[in-house]
Amino acid sequence: MSDMAAVILAAGEGQRLRPLTSTVPKALCPVGNVPLLDRALARVDALGLPAAVNAAYLGEAVARHAEGRAHVSVEPDGPLGTGGGLARLRSWVDGRGVLLGNADAYLHDPDLDPGPDIAALIDGWDGASVRMLGRPAASGEGEFGGYDFAGFSLIPWRFVASLPDEKHEVVRSVWRPAEREGALTVVPYSGTYLDTGTPSLYLAANLHAAAGASLVAPDAVVTGRVERAVIGAGARIDGDVRDAVVWPGGRVHAGETLTAAIRVGDDLTVPAALPLA
């Protein structure tokens, strides 16, 4: 693994998640009471890879959170896109191949721990071709053959070295060019993948992490009823919570029912459609 490094993309504003991301960057939104960025860093750490994280929107919060665990690249003038963020890290990458992951990717394989669950992406890599983790497209016509991108890709140094130093996306500067030259391979992912980019997908990831039950932080105070929900640290539940998420420090009052929604603080409620059974 000495010729490989990981880059976790955590610079995005998370506009589709607003108002959840008004004061908390998307990468630090909790899923199953674990910040998304922590899930990504734990996954690459389990693979034995050194990691870098890029940060832009509410970047100081991301930088503080990752301090001591990853090299941090701050984009002070706003997000540079997936490609521009990686280009800015070129000197840190320094000739290595890159495992590039999205911080907002929720992945879970019931048979493999985080890290080993995406190891097939790395196994036997020749260092020259582009690889992408993919899930079979529901329609059969995915973004890449019959597959849709599932959060992680493997990018050779030859592509990193030539990335333009401007805002752009890797889909145009790496994936599509590699596809045209026959150098793109999709590695199927058999587990669950969700991008958590909308309130509904974010709720779906939390309920999946709870595995049909409830996840309640040890210091949460619950006097009401909790069913199929995720309750964060320091939360207080005096009402009923069902198929919902309460963030750390959140409150559900007596006589109140929170369903198919995310609660932040005392009264911010973000509705979210329940995932299909």
Side-chain angles (χ1 to χ4, degrees):
M1 296 292 184
S2 61
D3 58 351
M4 193 180 302
V7 171
I8 302 300
L9 299 171
E13 295 185 34
Q15 292 183 352
R16 294 179 299 160
L17 274 177
R18 288 185 178 271
L20 293 176
T21 52
S22 295
T23 57
V24 176
K26 179 171 60 172
L28 300 188
C29 291
V31 169
N33 284 336
V34 179
L36 282 161
L37 181 56
D38 289 359
R39 289 179 174 273
L41 289 175
R43 181 167 269 110
V44 300
D45 184 62
L47 293 170
L49 297 177
V53 172
N54 75 330
Y57 174 70
L58 299 177
E60 289 185 3
V62 174
R64 285 195 305 270
H65 195 83
E67 186 177 2
R69 295 185 293 161
H71 174 82
V72 178
S73 170
V74 177
E75 299 161 16
D77 297 323
L80 293 170
T82 56
L86 179 55
R88 191 179 180 91
L89 280 159
R90 187 164 25 238
S91 62
W92 178 83
V93 174
D94 192 24
R96 295 174 290 186
V98 172
L99 177 65
L100 186 68
N102 292 344
D104 64 357
Y106 171 82
L107 298 99
H108 178 267
D109 189 316
D111 300 317
L112 294 169
D113 291 334
D117 66 337
I118 66 168
L121 191 61
I122 296 171
D123 292 346
W125 187 48
D126 61 6
S129 61
V130 174
R131 287 184 175 182
M132 172 189 298
L133 206 63
R135 285 285 294 156
S139 65
E141 298 181 3
E143 302 166 301
F144 299 89
Y147 293 88
D148 290 330
F149 173 61
F152 282 84
S153 63
L154 199 55
I155 300 178
W157 168 250
R158 67 186 179 96
F159 280 99
V160 179
S162 61
L163 289 174
D165 293 313
E166 59 189 28
K167 183 175 182 178
H168 72 281
E169 307 299 330
V170 294
V171 64
R172 296 190 181 278
S173 60
V174 178
W175 296 346
R176 293 305 182 192
E179 186 179 42
R180 287 193 293 270
E181 68 178 64
L184 174 68
T185 301
V186 177
V187 177
Y189 183 70
S190 59
T192 296
Y193 162 72
L194 296 165
D195 74 1
T196 72
T198 67
S200 294
L201 288 169
Y202 175 75
L203 174 61
N206 272 276
L207 296 183
H208 188 276
S214 291
L215 288 174
V216 180
D219 64 348
V221 176
V222 178
T223 64
R225 185 175 64 177
V226 171
E227 184 179 359
R228 295 186 305 275
V230 177
I231 311 299
R236 184 177 182 96
I237 311 300
D238 295 316
D240 292 346
V241 178
R242 184 171 60 253
D243 296 315
V245 179
V246 179
W247 272 21
R251 178 78 185 270
V252 177
H253 299 272
E256 183 181 10
T257 298
L258 183 75
T259 303
I262 301 101
R263 169 61 53 84
V264 180
D266 230 27
D267 55 8
L268 174 59
T269 303
V270 179
L274 287 171
L276 297 175

